[in-house]
């Protein structure tokens, strides 16, 4: 017995040595990318230690004193009068974006799927993808140009149907709507790609059989196409739910002004302001808030993935 | 398929096409408006006479854009970051994606897990900033390229593509002919992977061309700034210096203000054009590359 176990061990080691000898070029190739991953992804994770220290730049990460109590900066965050407001704003923006934006690409894909003319179909796809490639800065610039008071097209269209001019950027309460709907405008075509491809992959014999049985198009859409894309939709939903605390940071930052700040300050912009732009940057505090955001996001992904695996057959990992 | 549309199907088709048309118009109209406005007379824009097509056709806005010093500097900087950055991205992505796509590689699982974890958890703004500071990359050109050398999501797509499209038998027969791994990649894998390379090229190029925040926090020197930062100053913060406008029309402040309105629309077009031009070339690879890769990556 003992003899055979050591034999197995030896043969396993031989196997490893042999495959290293065989695949050494592959390992060599991975060295550079792995160095990148370690340096730029994992080393900063070590840096989150400053959330537990009274970080002073001159003393460095290791030279700085431990915070007392250790969770000082986390406690400070939960006691911050901004805390509830920025969490609420973050959740509002992302949930609003999700509820309004999630079904539309599916609807768009379903509609396109029943559109006959191939050439026009291609053209529609091309044009609706285009906004995806416009940068956030330009999108915000467009919003500002369109929603201007005098020369903006939106107000000009409103006044042509007799509605008084609205100062969209200078009015409270307009921010979430402009943010979310411009997001939907930008992503509609591109988000639908995956659904369009899934629909194209549905077995045509299902449709043929349904037609033989006398099913209407509406029925086929409901009983064949929709169930066909649900697994894809669930995966995407899971991904989106996991990112619920990560609202489009750049766009919010660019759209902020003193008037909408009450609604537009989100966790990420707060982290940025506290850590980078204030006269006295508070690195430890800012990092603590960032960790809160990352940990909650991470847990959400795990939880939603578990749920989606339980109720459907699809999961991310 | 040959069958007759029945009454309810006709209604369905009509409703379907109407809904599709509405969604399409909503997406397309702002795009058309921007292009029309950029080609119009500035008075026509301000007075609201531009609705659909250009009114008082002229190219003053584009002249202003192309004679503006910092816009051009930004344009060339962005172009540099995009081309060099994307090249680095592609090379590194293939270097790690191919080995991880091989079935029998020992340690593959651990490395994959290490990669996936970075998608789900990241250190946050300050630790990343401190790292860049420690590496002495602040205000260097390299800061726009090296920290973004690899995107794990794109690596995942590429792995799946390799797994599903490069048959095992190919490797076996290449081995018998005495081909080593590096030769196999260069001579067999790469030529077979044009769709996925096209797609990740597009993804990376978009990321570089549109990147704004890195430049905001890591760059100071005016000569290094990418286009997006210049765009923010002009489009969002309304900082249009008069000297650049005056080169076209030195008459009055009012006329330069008018030109500023026009210039914004032209700028939006110019800033977005490079990617729009790139996209159609890559589109035909899209379904093959992206779909094979992203479904259960």
């Amino acid at each position: 017995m003992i003899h055979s176990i050591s034999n197995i061990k030896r043969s396993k080691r031989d196997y490893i040595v042999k495959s290293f000898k065989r695949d050494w070029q592959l390992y060599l190739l991975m060295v550079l990318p792995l160095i990148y991953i370690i340096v730029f992804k994992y080393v900063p994770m070590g840096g989150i230690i400053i959330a537990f220290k009274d970080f002073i730049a001159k003393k460095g990460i290791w030279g700085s004193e431990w915070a007392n109590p250790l969770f000082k900066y986390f406690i400070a965050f939960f006691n911050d009068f901004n805390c509830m407001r920025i969490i609420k704003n973050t959740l509002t923006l992302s949930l609003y974006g999700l509820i309004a934006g999630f079904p539309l690409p599916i609807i768009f894909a379903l509609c396109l799927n029943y559109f006959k003319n191939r050439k026009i179909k291609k053209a529609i796809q091309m044009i609706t993808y285009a906004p995806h490639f416009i940068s956030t800065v330009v999108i915000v610039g467009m919003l500002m140009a369109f929603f201007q008071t005098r020369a903006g097209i939106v107000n000009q269209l409103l006044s042509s149907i007799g509605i008084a001019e609205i100062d969209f950027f200078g009015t409270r309460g307009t921010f979430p709507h402009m943010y979310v709907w411009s997001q939907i405008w930008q992503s509609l075509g591109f988000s639908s790609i995956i659904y369009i491809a899934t629909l194209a992959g549905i077995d045509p014999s299902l449709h043929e059989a349904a037609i033989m049985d006398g099913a209407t198009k509406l029925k086929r859409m409901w009983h064949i196409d929709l169930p066909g894309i649900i697994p894809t939709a669930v995966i995407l939903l899971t991904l989106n739910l996991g990112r619920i605390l990560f609202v489009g940071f750049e766009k919010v930052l660019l759209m902020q002004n003193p008037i909408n700040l009450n609604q537009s300050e989100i966790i990420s912009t707060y982290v940025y302001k506290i850590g980078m732009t204030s006269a006295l940057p508070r690195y430890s505090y800012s990092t603590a808030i960032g960790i809160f955001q990352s940990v909650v996001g991470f847990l959400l992904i795990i939880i939603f993935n578990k749920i989606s695996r339980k109720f459907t057959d699809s999961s991310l990992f | 398929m040959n069958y007759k549309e029945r009454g309810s199907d006709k209604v369905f088709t009509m409703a379907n096409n109407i809904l599709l048309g509405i969604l399409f118009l909503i997406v397309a109209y702002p795009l058309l408006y921007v292009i029309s406005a950029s080609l119009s007379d500035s008075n026509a824009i301000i007075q609201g006479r531009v609705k659909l097509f250009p009114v008082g056709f002229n190219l003053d806005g584009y002249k202003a854009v192309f004679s503006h010093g910092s816009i051009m500097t930004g344009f060339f900087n962005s172009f540099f970051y995009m081309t060099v950055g994307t090249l680095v991205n592609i090379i590194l992505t293939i270097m790690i994606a191919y080995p991880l796509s091989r079935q029998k590689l020992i340690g593959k699982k651990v490395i994959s897990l290490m990669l996936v974890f970075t998608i789900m958890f990241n250190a946050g703004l300050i630790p990343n900033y401190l790292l860049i500071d420690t590496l002495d990359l602040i205000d260097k050109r390299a800061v726009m390229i090296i920290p973004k050398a690899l995107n794990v999501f794109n690596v995942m797509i590429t792995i799946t593509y390799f797994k599903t499209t490069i048959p095992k038998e190919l490797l076996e027969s290449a081995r018998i002919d005495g081909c080593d791994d590096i030769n196999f990649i260069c001579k067999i894998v790469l030529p077979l992977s044009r769709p996925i390379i096209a797609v990740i090229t597009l993804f990376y190029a978009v990321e570089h061309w549109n990147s704004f925040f890195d430049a905001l926090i890591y760059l100071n020197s005016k000569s290094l700034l990418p286009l997006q930062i210049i765009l923010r100053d002009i489009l969002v913060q309304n900082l249009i210096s008069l000297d650049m406008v005056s080169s076209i029309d030195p008459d009055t402040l009012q006329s330069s203000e008018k030109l500023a309105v026009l210039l914004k629309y032209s700028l939006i077009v110019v800033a977005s054009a490079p990617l729009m031009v790139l996209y159609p070339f890559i589109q035909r690879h899209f379904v093959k590359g992206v779909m094979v890769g992203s479904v259960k990556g």
Side-chain angles (χ1 to χ4, degrees):
Chain A
M1 266 309 270
I2 294 169
H3 184 71
S4 69
I5 287 174
S6 76
N7 251 352
I8 291 169
K9 270 189 181 162
R10 188 183 304 146
S11 69
K12 199 174 179 191
R13 203 179 53 205
D14 285 351
Y15 174 69
I16 292 175
V17 170
K18 226 175 89 186
S19 46
F20 265 102
K21 265 187 186 159
R22 187 190 61 200
D23 295 333
W24 65 273
Q25 287 186 330
L26 298 180
Y27 291 103
L28 191 69
L29 279 177
M30 287 195 290
V31 170
L32 201 56
L34 281 178
I35 290 175
Y36 165 81
I37 292 287
I38 290 164
V39 171
F40 287 95
K41 302 286 175 185
Y42 283 91
V43 169
M45 285 184 202
I48 63 180
I49 203 170
I50 65 173
F52 304 93
K53 290 193 158 197
D54 291 321
F55 179 70
I56 295 165
K58 266 186 198 159
K59 290 187 185 169
I61 293 177
W62 300 106
S64 299
E65 301 285 331
W66 289 98
N68 185 25
L70 198 59
F71 286 93
K72 181 172 151 188
Y73 292 105
F74 293 89
I75 296 165
F77 174 55
F78 292 117
N79 290 327
D80 190 328
F81 72 99
N82 281 312
C83 172
M84 283 328 283
R85 191 172 55 110
I86 62 172
I87 291 178
K88 193 186 139 215
N89 286 344
T90 310
L91 289 177
T92 308
L93 284 185
S94 60
L95 287 177
Y96 181 8
L98 204 62
I99 293 166
F102 189 72
L104 277 173
I106 299 178
I107 295 171
F108 183 69
L110 286 171
C111 285
L112 204 63
N113 194 41
Y114 280 92
F115 190 77
K116 281 269 170 58
N117 189 320
R118 279 187 146 257
K119 273 191 181 158
I120 298 177
K121 199 168 160 178
K122 269 263 153 67
I124 292 179
Q125 272 184 283
M126 282 282 278
I127 292 168
T128 49
Y129 295 165
H132 173 80
F133 297 103
I134 298 175
S135 76
T136 311
V137 177
V138 170
I139 290 284
V140 176
M142 282 169 72
L143 271 177
M144 288 182 160
F146 288 163
F147 287 93
Q148 259 177 18
T149 40
R150 264 180 315 124
I153 179 75
V154 175
N155 271 317
Q156 284 166 0
L157 291 177
L158 284 182
S159 70
S160 71
I161 54 169
I163 296 177
E165 195 173 87
I166 303 169
D167 181 7
F168 287 95
F169 272 89
T171 312
R172 275 167 188 269
T174 55
F175 174 81
H177 307 298
M178 285 201 288
Y179 174 82
V180 166
W181 288 100
S182 61
Q183 199 68 26
I184 292 172
W185 175 78
Q186 192 180 6
S187 63
L188 178 73
F190 208 76
S191 318
S192 68
I193 289 184
I194 190 154
Y195 297 116
I196 291 169
T198 314
L199 285 171
I202 289 177
D203 188 355
S205 66
L206 288 176
H207 281 287
E208 281 160 23
I211 292 167
M212 294 302 266
D213 290 345
T216 61
K217 283 188 176 177
L218 189 66
K219 276 192 177 146
R220 277 156 54 202
M221 187 190 260
W222 189 254
H223 293 290
I224 298 173
D225 293 328
L226 205 60
I229 53 180
I230 279 177
T232 312
V234 169
I235 292 188
L236 292 180
L237 195 64
T238 308
L239 265 177
N240 290 335
L241 285 169
R243 290 203 202 109
I244 216 160
L245 292 191
F246 297 86
V247 186
F249 159 68
E250 288 186 1
K251 193 170 157 197
V252 175
L253 190 70
L254 287 162
M255 283 177 72
Q256 275 178 348
N257 66 31
I259 295 158
N260 64 30
L261 203 58
N262 213 2
Q263 285 184 305
S264 66
E265 192 80 295
I266 55 171
I267 302 177
S268 317
T269 53
Y270 197 60
V271 167
Y272 169 62
K273 281 174 194 164
I274 284 185
M276 310 283 310
T277 61
S278 64
L280 266 174
R282 291 147 73 192
Y283 285 152
S284 294
Y285 187 42
S286 178
T287 306
I289 305 173
I291 292 175
F292 165 76
Q293 190 181 21
S294 290
V295 168
V296 174
F298 180 69
L299 292 177
L300 286 175
I301 291 190
I302 305 280
I303 292 168
F304 290 126
N305 192 55
K306 273 246 163 75
I307 295 175
S308 86
R309 199 169 358 183
K310 202 166 182 184
F311 290 103
T312 67
D313 285 336
S314 45
S315 68
L316 285 173
F317 40 84
Chain B
M1 239 176 304
N2 246 332
Y3 78 107
K4 268 189 190 159
E5 275 202 350
R6 288 175 307 183
S8 64
D9 274 352
K10 273 185 188 157
V11 174
F12 172 87
T13 305
M14 213 158 79
N16 185 64
N17 291 353
I18 289 171
L19 186 59
L20 185 66
I22 291 172
L23 286 173
F24 173 70
L25 283 181
I26 290 173
V27 177
Y29 179 68
L31 297 174
L32 179 65
Y33 180 80
V34 167
I35 294 169
S36 294
S38 75
L39 295 168
S40 293
D41 178 59
S42 52
N43 281 321
I45 302 173
I46 293 167
Q47 291 159 9
R49 282 186 283 130
V50 180
K51 292 264 155 51
L52 207 59
F53 296 111
V55 175
F57 181 88
N58 72 72
L59 293 170
D60 288 353
Y62 290 96
K63 279 182 204 151
V65 168
F66 287 110
S67 59
H68 185 282
S70 55
I71 292 177
M72 284 297 107
T73 313
F75 205 89
F76 288 118
N77 282 337
S78 282
F79 195 75
F80 175 80
Y81 299 140
M82 178 173 77
T83 44
V84 178
T86 306
L87 194 67
V88 172
N89 289 146
I90 302 286
I91 294 171
L92 284 189
T93 303
I94 291 168
M95 279 166 80
I96 193 155
Y98 177 70
L100 290 181
S101 74
R102 280 274 283 267
Q103 270 181 347
K104 285 180 183 160
L105 195 78
I106 290 175
K108 190 181 84 175
K109 274 207 168 143
V110 182
I111 295 171
S112 303
L113 208 65
M114 222 175 105
L115 292 183
V116 172
F117 185 71
T118 65
I119 295 183
M120 299 189 287
F121 188 88
N122 77 74
L125 183 64
I126 306 295
N128 279 313
Y129 182 82
L130 293 176
L131 172 75
I132 301 294
D133 195 25
T134 314
L135 294 176
D136 201 23
L137 286 172
I138 302 276
D139 209 24
K140 306 248 164 73
R141 270 187 198 280
V143 84
M144 297 299 286
I145 293 161
I146 297 173
K148 285 196 289 192
L150 198 64
N151 178 321
V152 175
F153 182 73
N154 291 347
V155 173
M156 295 297 167
I157 299 180
T158 315
I159 292 175
T160 317
Y161 183 89
F162 285 153
K163 263 190 198 161
T164 46
T165 54
I166 312 283
K168 252 193 329 215
E169 293 74 21
L170 220 53
L171 178 67
E172 282 159 11
S173 66
R175 277 242 176 86
I176 292 168
D177 293 342
C179 181
D180 62 2
D181 285 317
I182 290 181
N183 264 316
F184 182 70
I185 293 173
C186 298
K187 290 187 181 145
I188 295 169
V189 176
L190 290 185
L192 285 176
S193 306
R194 247 180 247 145
I196 194 67
I197 293 173
V199 167
I200 60 172
T201 301
L202 180 72
F203 283 177
Y204 280 126
V206 171
E207 199 182 318
H208 282 289
W209 185 261
N210 289 345
S211 100
F212 154 75
F213 189 64
D214 317 40
L216 182 70
I217 56 176
Y218 297 138
L219 292 178
N220 306 311
S221 309
K222 274 198 164 166
S223 61
L224 300 183
L225 292 181
L227 185 62
Q228 300 298 329
I229 296 287
I230 319 288
L231 292 179
R232 184 209 42 173
D233 293 347
I234 297 176
L235 293 176
V236 179
Q237 299 191 327
N238 242 334
L239 302 173
I240 306 183
S241 54
L242 286 177
D243 54 310
M244 71 185 221
V245 184
S246 63
S247 64
I248 307 254
D249 188 350
D251 291 353
T252 55
L253 187 71
Q254 205 195 355
S255 70
S256 52
E257 263 180 3
K258 273 182 192 163
L259 191 56
V261 173
L262 182 60
L263 175 129
K264 283 186 182 178
Y265 289 109
S266 315
L267 194 51
I268 289 170
V269 175
V270 171
S272 312
L275 297 180
M276 304 287 173
V277 172
L278 189 61
Y279 180 66
F281 291 104
I282 288 173
Q283 202 215 12
R284 65 199 178 92
H285 294 303
F286 225 83
V287 171
K288 226 187 199 170
V290 153
M291 294 329 296
V292 168
S294 67
V295 174
K296 256 219 141 171

